[in-house]
Amino acid sequence: MNEFEWRLQMRRLRQPVAPPRDLWHAIDAALDQPKSRDVAAGDRHRRARRRWLAGAGVAASLLLALGVGWHVMRGPSPLTSSSIAANTGPWKPADPRFSGAAIELDAARMELLLALQQAPDSAALQRLLGRTEQQQKQLRQLASQPG
């Protein structure tokens, strides 16, 4: 093929070409037909998934609201002077595996007591102190167990 033939073919491509059959009837008929089963099934699946996600969101919100309400209604755990005075002295376990944890928990407890002197109404500090004392109690129980 030489350049002249190639240019001639290119000029023919610029001319409008009529399709062999009328396409508008097929397009119009396709638009008028009801959806196929696959499309309807996909829509049902999407709607069911949206409903499920909406239900899960409502359930999660309800659980969060109930948890916050329960936490607020429970209130801070009151600390009595006896619970503060119960563990005043540092505890030194005989087992060296527990001594590091005992030192850390005792230091944390002392820092929390100092912080509570500055802010005695702090519910967060009271909860932390209660947790620390609970951990000290568990550590003492572990140290007292044989083995």
Side-chain angles (χ1 to χ4, degrees):
M1 172 183 287
N2 62 22
E3 186 176 347
F4 177 73
E5 292 172 345
W6 179 75
R7 285 182 182 247
L8 185 62
Q9 285 181 350
M10 293 295 287
R11 283 190 192 123
R12 287 184 192 146
L13 288 176
R14 279 194 273 164
Q15 302 300 323
V17 178
R21 58 186 176 88
D22 189 13
L23 297 176
W24 289 112
H25 294 296
I27 294 171
D28 192 32
L31 290 174
D32 289 338
Q33 287 180 355
K35 292 182 178 179
S36 67
R37 281 191 207 170
D38 295 336
V39 174
D43 286 343
R44 279 194 306 260
H45 178 67
R46 278 191 291 276
R47 277 187 258 132
R49 185 172 180 181
R50 281 188 201 134
R51 268 189 249 123
W52 185 86
L53 286 174
V58 168
S61 300
L62 182 63
L63 282 174
L64 179 66
L66 288 174
V68 168
W70 178 74
H71 188 68
V72 168
M73 294 299 290
R74 192 179 82 183
S77 59
L79 291 176
T80 61
S81 60
S82 63
S83 69
I84 292 174
N87 297 322
T88 54
W91 173 64
K92 295 179 184 175
D95 192 345
R97 295 178 295 175
F98 298 118
S99 61
I103 292 169
E104 289 294 323
L105 286 172
D106 192 47
R109 186 177 164 281
M110 294 306 290
E111 287 180 18
L112 286 168
L113 287 173
L114 289 173
L116 272 172
Q117 288 177 354
Q118 294 175 0
D121 296 334
S122 174
L125 288 174
Q126 290 177 357
R127 281 193 307 271
L128 284 173
L129 182 61
R131 287 182 194 154
T132 304
E133 289 176 349
Q134 182 66 26
Q135 288 174 347
Q136 282 182 323
K137 181 180 173 184
Q138 289 173 348
L139 187 65
R140 287 179 185 186
Q141 289 173 351
L142 280 173
S144 68
Q145 292 175 354

